[in-house]
Structures are given as C-alpha cells and as structure tokens.
C-alpha cells in the first residue's frame, strides 16, 4: 500500500467519522464508505458489493434517544481494507464488520462522553460572548469523531497484508461461520425494522408483488429497479390524473356567473 493510498484512506476515514454525527451527506453509510475505500485501493467492485451487503445489515441501525447504534463508519472502512488487501471474500468481510461495529459503538460512546467537556466549555464561551471560542469547541468535538476512525484505520494500514491474511485464515471456521449467520440475521431484522416504520397499507401489494417476482422469475436488481419505477409512475398517473375536474366559473354577457364542467361537456359530445 503506497503512501498516497494511506493518506487518501485517512481522509476518507475522517470524513466517514464526522459523517456519523453530522448525518447530512450520509458519508458514514457502508455503501458510500466501502465504495470510496474500494476506489482508493483499486477494487471498486469488491467495495460496492461489500458496501451493499453491509448496507442491508445497517438499514435498521439508528440512534434513538440515548441508545447508540453499532458504528457503521469504522466497520465499513476497516472491513473493506482488510478484505481487499488480504484478498478475502465478502463472507469474511461480514464476519469482520460485525465485531468492528460493536467495538466502534463502544468507541463512539467514549468519544461522545469526552465531547461533553467541549459543550460545557462552549457554554462558558457563550456567556462571555466569545464566538470564536464556541467555533473552536465545535471543531474540536468534530475532530474527535474524525480521529475515532482515522487512528484505527492508520493502525490497520501499517500492518502488512500477509500478517492480516494469516490472522484471518487462523480464525476458526466456527467463529467466522457463526458471525456470517449472525450477519444474515441482522440483515433480516434491519430490513424488518425499516418495513415496520414504513408501514403504508396501500403500498403493501407492490411490496408483496416484488417478492413474488423474485421467487418465480429470473429478474436481476436492475430489472426490479426498472419494474418498480414503472409501477410508481403508473400508480401516480392512476391516482392523480384521473380525478374529475371541478366546475369552472365564467361570467356571461349579462353579468351572471355560470358554472362550466369540462367532463360533462365531454360526456354530452360523446
């Protein structure tokens, strides 16, 4: 791994770490982070496939109140680096990402606890009217989130690919297999949580239709995307374009107001 690649990986790691608390650009999502890492390491295909797989696992991961979700940023970046540099499969990547997400969850709780100090310091600066001090506290807190992912990434990049490969190959199959099964269960649970939150009764037939097409046809994801787009356009047209128009008011020559119905006029012409 070259020095330029290490620098770029650290930049991506810092962006994903900050994205996990900003939530604006969604840079911490596995599909984005894994793809960027794969692009830097010259294997975009593996990055996209691993990112898409981890994305399905992380669909239901979110911070609710004081409950912290597993960390997708550190899991995505480090697992992609290990899979590509050590020439491992997607299954091994999932097995690596699950414990990394749990470790990142504990690490982000630690960092957020530390940033409480910056919050109180910002309050004191606010009482003094020191706007520059408030900005510094915000930047320091954000920098802590960036370093939370950058430091572990730097450690991984400094380890040789052979050492990583030997370590991963010596992990017992019962552990890697169990983590892969657990990752598959997490995918189902995460998807079920999202469906439960998006419970719209009149859209359920389309959801079930997708399962039927997946079970009894050979459609790929591109075909399903096109089919879903066509069904969405058809649904919108049927719902909004076929409603009866309201009668329009027109003023006659003698000053009276007459109501004119386009639909009724069309019926009479027919």
């Amino acid at each position: 791994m070259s020095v330029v690649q290490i620098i770029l990986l650290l930049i991506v790691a810092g962006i994903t770490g900050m994205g996990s608390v900003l939530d604006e650009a969604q840079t911490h999502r596995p599909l984005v982070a894994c793809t960027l890492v794969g692009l830097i390491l010259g294997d975009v295909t593996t990055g996209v496939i691993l990112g898409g797989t981890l994305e399905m696992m992380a669909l239901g991961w979110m911070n609710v109140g004081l409950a912290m979700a597993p960390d997708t940023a550190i899991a995505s970046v480090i697992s992609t680096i290990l899979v590509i540099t050590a020439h491992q499969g997607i299954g091994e990547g999932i097995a690596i990402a699950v414990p990394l997400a749990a470790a990142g969850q504990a690490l982000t709780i630690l960092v957020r606890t530390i940033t409480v100090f910056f919050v109180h310091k910002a309050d004191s600066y606010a009482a003094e009217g020191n706007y520059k001090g408030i900005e510094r506290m915000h930047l320091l807190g954000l920098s802590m989130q960036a370093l939370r992912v950058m430091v572990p990434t730097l450690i991984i990049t400094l380890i040789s690919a052979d050492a990583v490969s030997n370590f991963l190959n010596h992990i017992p199959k019962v552990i890697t297999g169990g983590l892969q099964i657990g990752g598959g269960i997490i995918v189902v649970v995460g998807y079920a949580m999202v469906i439960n939150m998006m419970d719209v009764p009149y859209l359920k037939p389309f959801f079930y239709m997708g399962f039927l097409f997946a079970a009894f046809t050979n459609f790929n994801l591109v075909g399903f995307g096109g089919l879903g787009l066509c069904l969405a356009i058809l649904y919108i047209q049927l719902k909004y374009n076929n409603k009866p128009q309201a009668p329009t008011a027109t003023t006659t020559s003698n000053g009276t107001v007459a109501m004119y119905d386009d639909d009724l006029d069309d019926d009479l012409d027919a």
Side-chain angles (χ1 to χ4, degrees):
M1 191 180 302
S2 65
V3 177
V4 176
Q5 286 179 320
I6 294 176
I7 294 174
L8 292 176
L9 287 175
L10 292 178
I11 293 175
V12 170
I15 293 174
T16 56
M18 292 185 290
S20 63
V21 293
L22 294 176
D23 287 331
E24 184 175 359
Q26 297 293 304
T27 55
H28 65 292
R29 300 303 302 179
L31 189 57
V32 177
C34 295
T35 302
L36 291 176
V37 173
L39 181 64
I40 294 172
L41 296 179
D43 192 352
V44 182
T45 302
T46 301
V48 171
I49 295 175
L50 181 59
T53 306
L54 296 179
E55 190 69 50
M56 291 298 296
M57 294 175 54
L59 278 175
W61 292 358
M62 61 189 67
N63 300 328
V64 180
L66 297 178
M68 294 299 302
D71 184 32
T72 58
I74 193 170
S76 302
V77 173
I78 294 182
S79 63
T80 309
I81 294 174
L82 294 177
V83 167
I84 294 177
T85 56
H87 305 289
Q88 300 294 316
I90 302 300
E92 285 75 9
I94 297 174
I96 297 169
V98 172
L100 281 175
Q105 181 183 25
L107 187 59
T108 189
I109 291 174
L110 175 63
V111 172
R112 288 171 187 258
T113 303
I114 295 174
T115 53
V116 173
F117 167 78
F118 300 124
V119 174
H120 290 302
K121 192 66 177 175
D123 289 338
S124 63
Y125 283 133
E128 299 171 2
N130 187 351
Y131 297 104
K132 294 293 185 181
I134 298 174
E135 292 178 0
R136 286 196 301 270
M137 293 303 102
H138 285 165
L139 292 176
L140 282 174
L142 194 59
S143 300
M144 291 288 294
Q145 292 293 338
L147 291 173
R148 174 180 64 85
V149 185
M150 292 177 67
V151 173
T153 302
L154 178 61
I155 295 173
I156 293 299
T157 55
L158 296 178
I159 301 175
S160 64
D162 294 335
V164 173
S165 180
N166 292 331
F167 171 75
L168 294 177
N169 291 331
H170 281 83
I171 298 177
K173 292 295 183 181
V174 64
I175 296 178
T176 57
L179 289 174
Q180 291 179 24
I181 295 173
I185 296 174
I186 293 175
V187 171
V188 177
V189 174
Y191 200 55
M193 292 174 64
V194 174
I195 294 172
N196 188 40
M197 289 184 294
M198 300 171 60
D199 186 14
V200 183
Y202 59 85
L203 294 180
K204 282 185 177 180
F206 298 100
F207 178 72
Y208 299 140
M209 189 185 302
F211 273 100
L212 291 176
F213 270 97
F216 296 102
T217 66
N218 294 322
F219 272 38
N220 55 21
L221 292 180
V222 177
F224 275 116
L227 178 63
L229 179 61
C230 293
L231 289 175
I233 295 174
L234 180 62
Y235 176 81
I236 292 174
Q237 289 179 343
L238 293 176
K239 182 176 181 179
Y240 296 105
N241 291 351
N242 291 332
K243 286 185 175 181
Q245 297 180 355
T248 57
T250 57
T251 304
T252 60
S253 58
N254 58 2
T256 61
V257 177
M259 303 301 294
Y260 180 75
D261 192 341
D262 292 333
D263 293 337
L264 181 59
D265 184 66
D266 294 339
D267 295 338
L268 293 174
D269 292 339

